[in-house]
Amino acid sequence: MTAIVIDTNVLLVADGKAPQMTAACVAECLTRLERVKASEQVVLDETRIIMGEYHNKLSANRSPTPGSAFLKWLLQVQAVAKHVSPVIITSLNQEQTLFAEFPADKALEAAFDPADRKFVAAANAHPERPPILESADSKWLGWELSLARHGIRLEVLCRRELEEIRKRKTKRLR
C-alpha cells in the first residue's frame, strides 16, 4: 500500500468549502479521497497535530458532508495499519509550527506557511517520503521545486485551477 499525506484543504474542497474551486475540482477531490480509502494509507503524526487541524476545520459528528465523512472514517480506522501510517514529528515550539523534520533550508523556512509545515514534516519523517495531496492553496505551487530538492513531492489536484489562481495573485502583487 502506498502512503499519502493529505492537506486539510482537500477535505474542505470535497465539502464545497473552497468557493474559488470549480465543481470539477470538488469532484476530483471526492474521487481522490475515495481512492485513498480504498487503497492507500493516510500518514498521521502520533502527536495528532494533523488530526487536530482536521477537527478544527471539520466535524465528524455533524451532517455527513464528504469531508466530515472522510474524517469520521479516519477516526474509525486510525489504529488500522492498512489505512493509517503513523509517523513521529517533533514540534519545536508551543504553536506547533516548527518541526525538527522540516527540511533545513533557510529559503523554504522563510517562505513557508507555518500552518502547513506539519504536512511537510510528516512526509519527510515517513520512510517512503509519500507525496502531499494538495488541492486549493496556490502557495504550494511556489514551494514545489524547493520541496522536490529535499525529496518531498506534491500531488496537486486541480493543478490548472491553482496555476490560474497563482497567476492572478502574482499580477495583483506587481
Side-chain angles (χ1 to χ4, degrees), residues 142-164:
W143 304 325
E144 192 167 19
L145 292 176
S146 296
L147 290 170
R149 282 195 299 272
H150 296 281
I152 299 167
R153 299 167 289 132
L154 297 182
E155 180 182 331
V156 181
L157 303 175
C158 319
R159 181 178 287 275
R160 201 170 337 173
E161 285 183 53
L162 285 182
E163 288 171 349
E164 287 299 317

PDB file of all heavy atoms in Angstrom, residues 142-164:
ATOM      1  N   GLY A 142       4.397  27.375  -5.530  1.00  0.00           N
ATOM      2  CA  GLY A 142       5.639  28.122  -5.406  1.00  0.00           C
ATOM      3  C   GLY A 142       6.698  27.397  -4.590  1.00  0.00           C
ATOM      4  O   GLY A 142       7.882  27.703  -4.699  1.00  0.00           O
ATOM      5  N   TRP A 143       6.286  26.449  -3.781  1.00  0.00           N
ATOM      6  CA  TRP A 143       7.213  25.693  -2.945  1.00  0.00           C
ATOM      7  C   TRP A 143       7.593  24.357  -3.564  1.00  0.00           C
ATOM      8  O   TRP A 143       8.491  23.674  -3.077  1.00  0.00           O
ATOM      9  CB  TRP A 143       6.597  25.435  -1.574  1.00  0.00           C
ATOM     10  CG  TRP A 143       6.155  26.649  -0.831  1.00  0.00           C
ATOM     11  CD1 TRP A 143       6.740  27.884  -0.832  1.00  0.00           C
ATOM     12  CD2 TRP A 143       5.022  26.752   0.025  1.00  0.00           C
ATOM     13  NE1 TRP A 143       6.045  28.744  -0.029  1.00  0.00           N
ATOM     14  CE2 TRP A 143       4.977  28.075   0.519  1.00  0.00           C
ATOM     15  CE3 TRP A 143       4.041  25.865   0.449  1.00  0.00           C
ATOM     16  CZ2 TRP A 143       4.012  28.528   1.399  1.00  0.00           C
ATOM     17  CZ3 TRP A 143       3.069  26.307   1.324  1.00  0.00           C
ATOM     18  CH2 TRP A 143       3.052  27.628   1.792  1.00  0.00           C
ATOM     19  N   GLU A 144       6.916  23.983  -4.637  1.00  0.00           N
ATOM     20  CA  GLU A 144       7.058  22.635  -5.198  1.00  0.00           C
ATOM     21  C   GLU A 144       8.503  22.276  -5.550  1.00  0.00           C
ATOM     22  O   GLU A 144       8.989  21.204  -5.190  1.00  0.00           O
ATOM     23  CB  GLU A 144       6.155  22.489  -6.419  1.00  0.00           C
ATOM     24  CG  GLU A 144       6.001  21.078  -6.890  1.00  0.00           C
ATOM     25  CD  GLU A 144       4.871  20.915  -7.883  1.00  0.00           C
ATOM     26  OE1 GLU A 144       4.418  21.913  -8.497  1.00  0.00           O
ATOM     27  OE2 GLU A 144       4.428  19.770  -8.050  1.00  0.00           O
ATOM     28  N   LEU A 145       9.215  23.140  -6.242  1.00  0.00           N
ATOM     29  CA  LEU A 145      10.594  22.829  -6.640  1.00  0.00           C
ATOM     30  C   LEU A 145      11.525  22.763  -5.433  1.00  0.00           C
ATOM     31  O   LEU A 145      12.391  21.886  -5.365  1.00  0.00           O
ATOM     32  CB  LEU A 145      11.104  23.850  -7.657  1.00  0.00           C
ATOM     33  CG  LEU A 145      10.431  23.798  -9.023  1.00  0.00           C
ATOM     34  CD1 LEU A 145      10.954  24.927  -9.910  1.00  0.00           C
ATOM     35  CD2 LEU A 145      10.632  22.445  -9.679  1.00  0.00           C
ATOM     36  N   SER A 146      11.356  23.664  -4.495  1.00  0.00           N
ATOM     37  CA  SER A 146      12.190  23.637  -3.283  1.00  0.00           C
ATOM     38  C   SER A 146      11.948  22.364  -2.485  1.00  0.00           C
ATOM     39  O   SER A 146      12.894  21.758  -1.981  1.00  0.00           O
ATOM     40  CB  SER A 146      11.902  24.857  -2.409  1.00  0.00           C
ATOM     41  OG  SER A 146      12.263  26.038  -3.079  1.00  0.00           O
ATOM     42  N   LEU A 147      10.696  21.963  -2.370  1.00  0.00           N
ATOM     43  CA  LEU A 147      10.387  20.723  -1.666  1.00  0.00           C
ATOM     44  C   LEU A 147      10.990  19.526  -2.389  1.00  0.00           C
ATOM     45  O   LEU A 147      11.550  18.618  -1.760  1.00  0.00           O
ATOM     46  CB  LEU A 147       8.869  20.547  -1.521  1.00  0.00           C
ATOM     47  CG  LEU A 147       8.191  21.506  -0.551  1.00  0.00           C
ATOM     48  CD1 LEU A 147       6.674  21.404  -0.682  1.00  0.00           C
ATOM     49  CD2 LEU A 147       8.627  21.245   0.884  1.00  0.00           C
ATOM     50  N   ALA A 148      10.905  19.521  -3.708  1.00  0.00           N
ATOM     51  CA  ALA A 148      11.439  18.414  -4.510  1.00  0.00           C
ATOM     52  C   ALA A 148      12.946  18.251  -4.291  1.00  0.00           C
ATOM     53  O   ALA A 148      13.456  17.121  -4.298  1.00  0.00           O
ATOM     54  CB  ALA A 148      11.121  18.627  -5.981  1.00  0.00           C
ATOM     55  N   ARG A 149      13.653  19.350  -4.098  1.00  0.00           N
ATOM     56  CA  ARG A 149      15.097  19.265  -3.826  1.00  0.00           C
ATOM     57  C   ARG A 149      15.381  18.478  -2.547  1.00  0.00           C
ATOM     58  O   ARG A 149      16.477  17.966  -2.350  1.00  0.00           O
ATOM     59  CB  ARG A 149      15.712  20.655  -3.719  1.00  0.00           C
ATOM     60  CG  ARG A 149      15.937  21.320  -5.060  1.00  0.00           C
ATOM     61  CD  ARG A 149      16.864  22.517  -4.946  1.00  0.00           C
ATOM     62  NE  ARG A 149      16.366  23.570  -4.072  1.00  0.00           N
ATOM     63  CZ  ARG A 149      15.566  24.563  -4.461  1.00  0.00           C
ATOM     64  NH1 ARG A 149      15.172  24.652  -5.722  1.00  0.00           N
ATOM     65  NH2 ARG A 149      15.166  25.471  -3.607  1.00  0.00           N
ATOM     66  N   HIS A 150      14.386  18.395  -1.681  1.00  0.00           N
ATOM     67  CA  HIS A 150      14.536  17.652  -0.421  1.00  0.00           C
ATOM     68  C   HIS A 150      13.815  16.302  -0.477  1.00  0.00           C
ATOM     69  O   HIS A 150      13.623  15.661   0.559  1.00  0.00           O
ATOM     70  CB  HIS A 150      14.002  18.494   0.738  1.00  0.00           C
ATOM     71  CG  HIS A 150      14.776  19.747   0.943  1.00  0.00           C
ATOM     72  ND1 HIS A 150      15.989  19.782   1.586  1.00  0.00           N
ATOM     73  CD2 HIS A 150      14.528  21.016   0.532  1.00  0.00           C
ATOM     74  CE1 HIS A 150      16.450  21.018   1.591  1.00  0.00           C
ATOM     75  NE2 HIS A 150      15.583  21.789   0.952  1.00  0.00           N
ATOM     76  N   GLY A 151      13.420  15.889  -1.673  1.00  0.00           N
ATOM     77  CA  GLY A 151      12.776  14.588  -1.837  1.00  0.00           C
ATOM     78  C   GLY A 151      11.310  14.557  -1.446  1.00  0.00           C
ATOM     79  O   GLY A 151      10.740  13.492  -1.260  1.00  0.00           O
ATOM     80  N   ILE A 152      10.694  15.729  -1.329  1.00  0.00           N
ATOM     81  CA  ILE A 152       9.282  15.808  -0.942  1.00  0.00           C
ATOM     82  C   ILE A 152       8.473  16.201  -2.169  1.00  0.00           C
ATOM     83  O   ILE A 152       8.728  17.228  -2.786  1.00  0.00           O
ATOM     84  CB  ILE A 152       9.074  16.812   0.212  1.00  0.00           C
ATOM     85  CG1 ILE A 152       9.881  16.341   1.427  1.00  0.00           C
ATOM     86  CG2 ILE A 152       7.601  16.965   0.549  1.00  0.00           C
ATOM     87  CD1 ILE A 152      10.019  17.373   2.507  1.00  0.00           C
ATOM     88  N   ARG A 153       7.507  15.363  -2.505  1.00  0.00           N
ATOM     89  CA  ARG A 153       6.715  15.572  -3.712  1.00  0.00           C
ATOM     90  C   ARG A 153       5.307  16.044  -3.358  1.00  0.00           C
ATOM     91  O   ARG A 153       4.795  15.754  -2.296  1.00  0.00           O
ATOM     92  CB  ARG A 153       6.590  14.258  -4.492  1.00  0.00           C
ATOM     93  CG  ARG A 153       7.909  13.697  -4.952  1.00  0.00           C
ATOM     94  CD  ARG A 153       7.780  12.259  -5.443  1.00  0.00           C
ATOM     95  NE  ARG A 153       7.530  11.387  -4.283  1.00  0.00           N
ATOM     96  CZ  ARG A 153       6.571  10.458  -4.231  1.00  0.00           C
ATOM     97  NH1 ARG A 153       5.777  10.241  -5.237  1.00  0.00           N
ATOM     98  NH2 ARG A 153       6.410   9.722  -3.154  1.00  0.00           N
ATOM     99  N   LEU A 154       4.722  16.742  -4.314  1.00  0.00           N
ATOM    100  CA  LEU A 154       3.317  17.132  -4.194  1.00  0.00           C
ATOM    101  C   LEU A 154       2.508  16.359  -5.210  1.00  0.00           C
ATOM    102  O   LEU A 154       2.974  16.099  -6.317  1.00  0.00           O
ATOM    103  CB  LEU A 154       3.144  18.627  -4.478  1.00  0.00           C
ATOM    104  CG  LEU A 154       3.826  19.617  -3.562  1.00  0.00           C
ATOM    105  CD1 LEU A 154       3.483  21.027  -3.980  1.00  0.00           C
ATOM    106  CD2 LEU A 154       3.448  19.372  -2.109  1.00  0.00           C
ATOM    107  N   GLU A 155       1.310  16.019  -4.834  1.00  0.00           N
ATOM    108  CA  GLU A 155       0.316  15.538  -5.792  1.00  0.00           C
ATOM    109  C   GLU A 155      -0.760  16.619  -5.786  1.00  0.00           C
ATOM    110  O   GLU A 155      -1.523  16.737  -4.830  1.00  0.00           O
ATOM    111  CB  GLU A 155      -0.271  14.194  -5.379  1.00  0.00           C
ATOM    112  CG  GLU A 155      -1.293  13.697  -6.378  1.00  0.00           C
ATOM    113  CD  GLU A 155      -1.944  12.393  -5.974  1.00  0.00           C
ATOM    114  OE1 GLU A 155      -1.315  11.579  -5.275  1.00  0.00           O
ATOM    115  OE2 GLU A 155      -3.117  12.204  -6.356  1.00  0.00           O
ATOM    116  N   VAL A 156      -0.762  17.412  -6.826  1.00  0.00           N
ATOM    117  CA  VAL A 156      -1.645  18.570  -6.872  1.00  0.00           C
ATOM    118  C   VAL A 156      -2.906  18.227  -7.664  1.00  0.00           C
ATOM    119  O   VAL A 156      -2.838  17.978  -8.865  1.00  0.00           O
ATOM    120  CB  VAL A 156      -0.932  19.788  -7.498  1.00  0.00           C
ATOM    121  CG1 VAL A 156      -1.853  20.991  -7.525  1.00  0.00           C
ATOM    122  CG2 VAL A 156       0.349  20.103  -6.730  1.00  0.00           C
ATOM    123  N   LEU A 157      -4.020  18.214  -6.974  1.00  0.00           N
ATOM    124  CA  LEU A 157      -5.310  18.074  -7.638  1.00  0.00           C
ATOM    125  C   LEU A 157      -5.687  19.458  -8.155  1.00  0.00           C
ATOM    126  O   LEU A 157      -5.293  20.466  -7.577  1.00  0.00           O
ATOM    127  CB  LEU A 157      -6.365  17.566  -6.649  1.00  0.00           C
ATOM    128  CG  LEU A 157      -6.047  16.238  -5.954  1.00  0.00           C
ATOM    129  CD1 LEU A 157      -7.116  15.919  -4.928  1.00  0.00           C
ATOM    130  CD2 LEU A 157      -5.901  15.116  -6.954  1.00  0.00           C
ATOM    131  N   CYS A 158      -6.410  19.512  -9.220  1.00  0.00           N
ATOM    132  CA  CYS A 158      -6.889  20.792  -9.741  1.00  0.00           C
ATOM    133  C   CYS A 158      -5.732  21.729 -10.088  1.00  0.00           C
ATOM    134  O   CYS A 158      -5.819  22.946  -9.904  1.00  0.00           O
ATOM    135  CB  CYS A 158      -7.847  21.465  -8.758  1.00  0.00           C
ATOM    136  SG  CYS A 158      -9.014  20.347  -7.968  1.00  0.00           S
ATOM    137  N   ARG A 159      -4.653  21.179 -10.586  1.00  0.00           N
ATOM    138  CA  ARG A 159      -3.438  21.959 -10.849  1.00  0.00           C
ATOM    139  C   ARG A 159      -3.702  23.155 -11.756  1.00  0.00           C
ATOM    140  O   ARG A 159      -3.230  24.256 -11.492  1.00  0.00           O
ATOM    141  CB  ARG A 159      -2.342  21.075 -11.454  1.00  0.00           C
ATOM    142  CG  ARG A 159      -1.043  21.848 -11.714  1.00  0.00           C
ATOM    143  CD  ARG A 159       0.056  20.970 -12.258  1.00  0.00           C
ATOM    144  NE  ARG A 159       0.617  20.094 -11.268  1.00  0.00           N
ATOM    145  CZ  ARG A 159       1.601  20.431 -10.425  1.00  0.00           C
ATOM    146  NH1 ARG A 159       2.108  21.642 -10.473  1.00  0.00           N
ATOM    147  NH2 ARG A 159       2.071  19.563  -9.574  1.00  0.00           N
ATOM    148  N   ARG A 160      -4.451  22.945 -12.826  1.00  0.00           N
ATOM    149  CA  ARG A 160      -4.701  24.044 -13.764  1.00  0.00           C
ATOM    150  C   ARG A 160      -5.386  25.220 -13.067  1.00  0.00           C
ATOM    151  O   ARG A 160      -5.035  26.372 -13.272  1.00  0.00           O
ATOM    152  CB  ARG A 160      -5.532  23.549 -14.944  1.00  0.00           C
ATOM    153  CG  ARG A 160      -5.424  24.430 -16.157  1.00  0.00           C
ATOM    154  CD  ARG A 160      -6.041  23.813 -17.366  1.00  0.00           C
ATOM    155  NE  ARG A 160      -6.101  22.359 -17.233  1.00  0.00           N
ATOM    156  CZ  ARG A 160      -6.703  21.542 -18.061  1.00  0.00           C
ATOM    157  NH1 ARG A 160      -7.311  22.014 -19.089  1.00  0.00           N
ATOM    158  NH2 ARG A 160      -6.716  20.247 -17.874  1.00  0.00           N
ATOM    159  N   GLU A 161      -6.371  24.911 -12.236  1.00  0.00           N
ATOM    160  CA  GLU A 161      -7.059  25.975 -11.494  1.00  0.00           C
ATOM    161  C   GLU A 161      -6.106  26.703 -10.552  1.00  0.00           C
ATOM    162  O   GLU A 161      -6.130  27.930 -10.453  1.00  0.00           O
ATOM    163  CB  GLU A 161      -8.209  25.389 -10.669  1.00  0.00           C
ATOM    164  CG  GLU A 161      -9.403  25.005 -11.489  1.00  0.00           C
ATOM    165  CD  GLU A 161     -10.526  24.513 -10.614  1.00  0.00           C
ATOM    166  OE1 GLU A 161     -10.893  25.242  -9.667  1.00  0.00           O
ATOM    167  OE2 GLU A 161     -11.037  23.414 -10.885  1.00  0.00           O
ATOM    168  N   LEU A 162      -5.274  25.942  -9.860  1.00  0.00           N
ATOM    169  CA  LEU A 162      -4.329  26.569  -8.935  1.00  0.00           C
ATOM    170  C   LEU A 162      -3.314  27.439  -9.671  1.00  0.00           C
ATOM    171  O   LEU A 162      -2.932  28.502  -9.174  1.00  0.00           O
ATOM    172  CB  LEU A 162      -3.600  25.514  -8.108  1.00  0.00           C
ATOM    173  CG  LEU A 162      -4.415  24.869  -6.987  1.00  0.00           C
ATOM    174  CD1 LEU A 162      -3.564  23.883  -6.204  1.00  0.00           C
ATOM    175  CD2 LEU A 162      -4.999  25.906  -6.064  1.00  0.00           C
ATOM    176  N   GLU A 163      -2.879  26.993 -10.833  1.00  0.00           N
ATOM    177  CA  GLU A 163      -1.953  27.810 -11.618  1.00  0.00           C
ATOM    178  C   GLU A 163      -2.600  29.129 -12.029  1.00  0.00           C
ATOM    179  O   GLU A 163      -1.962  30.181 -11.983  1.00  0.00           O
ATOM    180  CB  GLU A 163      -1.463  27.034 -12.839  1.00  0.00           C
ATOM    181  CG  GLU A 163      -0.488  25.927 -12.474  1.00  0.00           C
ATOM    182  CD  GLU A 163      -0.154  24.998 -13.625  1.00  0.00           C
ATOM    183  OE1 GLU A 163      -0.818  25.058 -14.691  1.00  0.00           O
ATOM    184  OE2 GLU A 163       0.781  24.190 -13.458  1.00  0.00           O
ATOM    185  N   GLU A 164      -3.865  29.081 -12.413  1.00  0.00           N
ATOM    186  CA  GLU A 164      -4.591  30.307 -12.765  1.00  0.00           C
ATOM    187  C   GLU A 164      -4.741  31.229 -11.555  1.00  0.00           C
ATOM    188  O   GLU A 164      -4.559  32.439 -11.661  1.00  0.00           O
ATOM    189  CB  GLU A 164      -5.967  29.974 -13.362  1.00  0.00           C
ATOM    190  CG  GLU A 164      -5.902  29.419 -14.770  1.00  0.00           C
ATOM    191  CD  GLU A 164      -5.266  30.395 -15.746  1.00  0.00           C
ATOM    192  OE1 GLU A 164      -5.581  31.615 -15.683  1.00  0.00           O
ATOM    193  OE2 GLU A 164      -4.432  29.954 -16.559  1.00  0.00           O
TER     194      GLU A 164
END
